[in-house]
Amino acid sequence: MLLRNGLVSGRRQDVAIRDDRIERIGRDLAGAWGETLDVTDRLVLPGFVESHIHPDKAFIADRTEGLRAGGPSAQILVAELKKAFTVDDVYRRARRVLELAVRHGTTTMRAHVELDAFVETRSLEAMRRLQRDLAGALDLHLIAFAQEGIFNDPVTQDLLREALQSGVPTLGGCPYMDKDQRAHIDWFFETAQAFGVALDFHADSSDDPAMLTSDYIAEQTIAYDMQGRVTLGHLGTLDALEPAHRARVIDKLREARIHVISLPATEFHVKGRGAARYAWRGVTRLGELRDAGVNVAISTNNIANPFTPYGHPDPLRQALVAAMAAHLGNLDQLAWLLDLVTVNAARAIGLHDYGVAEGCRADLVVLDARTPADAITEQVEKLWVIKGGRVVARNTRTSELRIPREPDRSSGD
Ligand SMILES: [Zn+2]
């Protein structure tokens, strides 16, 4: 396949694909290529990566009243609902998420799968079936995730260990769901080391500095020699620290090579609801983290559930939300913001051979824009989505403007 005249690294170039790899990139490539796509002056990016997302509890907003003043938390609402999840129910809802993700340009996704006394292994079974059924369209990586904590029922620890034993490559913790956050974190490091798997934590979701755990997680990452293999989602507490304290924590995160994944749409919906005056918005300090050399990404997190009723698996939308949430709207910032759903996210989940470069996997998205700033600002269409050298989605948008043309003033009157 040949992508003709696309914008790669700011220059007009062709991208030639053989089988599932990018074979050559350059001007006016000659040779016999199969299908040719005219992508003249359109942005060619590596496929989007959703690095933190929950398809197993998507599309259940219509089963609950959602968050209300004085009402139950999103965790409690979902815990109640998931008792009734069946394998087929999870499969159908999650499949809808995955199909939408492909439509929106995502070629790799790392999904949290909950294992606990409420849902047992039903979500895992459904997600494994999806992994097989959608192979070729989307790479689906799984995380064995303890949304309910590990000290609140007698089965979660065993379920997590069994999932790792059966090949799930990442273990997901949630310290703030247990009373003793440090004991929770210790169990996850010990278990990750025993099974040789990567770690992901939902961490520091509170505006109370006393609840901070990311500094301890960074220390343990170094102690267990897991630098570069630990990701943290949320980290909103960073925003509530005194500046000097925040700078020390960010230093530790960099030293431990922790990857930070911000989930701005969920923070906007959930955080600061009890505030009498200023409503804390709960989004981590993306710009400061990046400036300090920490690898930062953003992801969709929740889709149409009590955590984010308007959630939708569109990384381009998350880029706009992040621009608004984290003061990243200047043109120089918009220029790198798409890295947070492409190269940075890929790095966070340990992808290799990723990028628009010769030899990389031919996982690409072509945007109807010349620059990242235009793509984000105008929320442009993802014209082509290519997975492993094959077109998996083609999107078009039409619009007809029925207004008078601009008058011709060149003749002068
Ligand atoms: Zn999450």
Side-chain angles (χ1 to χ4, degrees):
M1 181 189 294
L2 187 70
L3 273 58
R4 184 70 83 188
N5 287 332
L7 294 173
V8 178
S9 316
R11 295 202 312 278
R12 189 189 273 189
Q13 303 193 74
D14 298 343
V15 178
I17 296 166
R18 195 174 302 282
D19 301 323
D20 63 346
R21 299 270 153 185
I22 297 172
E23 186 163 284
R24 284 189 63 196
I25 297 177
R27 288 299 304 267
D28 303 321
L29 293 183
W33 307 96
E35 190 179 359
T36 297
L37 308 182
D38 179 5
V39 296
T40 302
D41 292 338
R42 301 304 199 285
L43 211 49
V44 179
L45 299 178
F48 292 141
V49 176
E50 285 277 21
S51 51
H52 180 130
I53 193 165
H54 298 265
D56 57 351
K57 57 184 176 194
F59 295 116
I60 53 171
D62 57 354
R63 299 180 189 182
T64 156
E65 281 186 62
L67 299 181
R68 286 168 289 121
S73 69
Q75 275 94 357
I76 288 170
L77 290 171
V78 174
E80 194 52 40
L81 290 173
K82 71 180 172 183
K83 292 174 187 167
F85 286 0
T86 64
V87 176
D88 285 342
D89 172 44
V90 174
Y91 182 93
R92 275 193 300 271
R93 291 183 289 98
R95 184 171 179 116
R96 196 171 152 200
V97 174
L98 271 50
E99 288 179 357
L100 281 167
V102 170
R103 178 256 180 270
H104 283 298
T106 293
T107 51
T108 302
M109 171 185 285
R110 190 161 85 168
H112 291 271
V113 187
E114 299 184 15
L115 290 150
D116 49 58
F118 299 138
V119 74
E120 297 171 320
T121 57
R122 298 191 296 280
S123 292
L124 182 59
E125 197 181 324
M127 294 304 290
R128 282 214 157 108
R129 207 192 288 172
L130 278 166
Q131 237 175 351
R132 291 191 296 270
D133 291 356
L134 288 179
L138 178 77
D139 287 332
L140 178 60
H141 302 203
L142 302 181
I143 302 176
F145 174 49
Q147 172 68 76
E148 309 300 333
I150 52 167
F151 300 125
N152 303 315
D153 71 48
V155 298
T156 297
Q157 294 185 16
D158 285 338
L159 292 173
L160 295 170
R161 277 190 287 251
E162 283 161 24
L164 300 179
Q165 192 70 49
S166 69
V168 175
T170 306
L171 178 61
C174 199
Y176 52 80
M177 292 302 290
D178 277 317
K179 266 200 192 72
D180 188 341
Q181 296 204 85
R182 290 201 171 195
H184 178 113
I185 292 164
D186 291 344
W187 186 88
F188 277 81
F189 274 99
E190 282 158 23
T191 307
Q193 188 173 57
F195 285 88
V197 295
L199 273 175
D200 177 287
F201 288 100
H202 282 62
D204 293 355
S205 182
S206 164
D207 63 347
D208 177 2
M211 293 283 285
L212 188 79
T213 57
S214 52
D215 51 350
Y216 182 67
I217 292 173
E219 285 163 17
Q220 295 307 97
T221 299
I222 294 168
Y224 281 84
D225 204 20
M226 283 190 68
Q227 293 94 324
R229 299 191 69 209
V230 179
T231 50
L232 301 184
H234 290 298
L235 245 57
T237 313
L238 272 191
D239 185 57
L241 301 181
E242 292 299 326
H245 187 189
R246 180 163 57 240
R248 286 198 302 277
V249 176
I250 290 175
D251 264 353
K252 276 191 189 176
L253 296 173
R254 183 191 46 228
E255 192 190 341
R257 303 212 309 274
I258 299 264
H259 308 281
V260 174
I261 304 174
S262 182
L263 312 160
T266 299
E267 318 297 15
F268 272 14
H269 183 67
V270 171
K271 301 301 160 68
R273 285 187 167 253
R277 290 188 66 197
Y278 300 113
W280 175 60
R281 307 313 284 128
V283 180
T284 198
R285 298 279 179 130
L286 280 167
E288 273 176 60
L289 284 159
R290 181 182 178 274
D291 289 348
V294 176
N295 183 45
V296 292
I298 50 176
S299 199
T300 293
N301 199 23
N302 283 289
I303 294 104
N305 68 17
F307 292 93
T308 322
Y310 44 75
H312 191 68
D314 178 358
L316 200 54
R317 177 193 289 197
Q318 294 311 320
L320 179 60
V321 176
M324 295 191 277
H327 294 152
L328 297 173
N330 294 340
L331 290 180
D332 59 320
Q333 295 162 326
L334 291 172
W336 53 255
L337 208 44
L338 291 183
D339 290 351
L340 277 55
V341 289
T342 54
V343 288
N344 292 16
R347 212 172 124 205
I349 69 168
L351 291 189
H352 300 289
D353 304 338
Y354 175 90
V356 186
E358 290 174 4
C360 285
R361 289 260 309 181
D363 291 357
L364 302 167
V365 58
V366 180
L367 301 182
D368 192 8
R370 285 169 176 262
T371 66
D374 286 350
I376 295 166
T377 304
E378 298 176 24
Q379 292 289 290
V380 299
E381 192 53 274
K382 300 92 185 174
L383 298 173
W384 302 92
V385 184
I386 296 163
K387 175 68 189 170
R390 209 168 57 85
V391 174
V392 289
R394 164 79 169 121
N395 301 299
T396 57
R397 204 183 283 173
T398 59
S399 166
E400 194 182 340
L401 203 54
R402 297 187 177 182
I403 60 172
R405 292 164 64 102
E406 188 181 352
D408 178 11
R409 301 181 204 280
S410 58
S411 56
D413 55 7

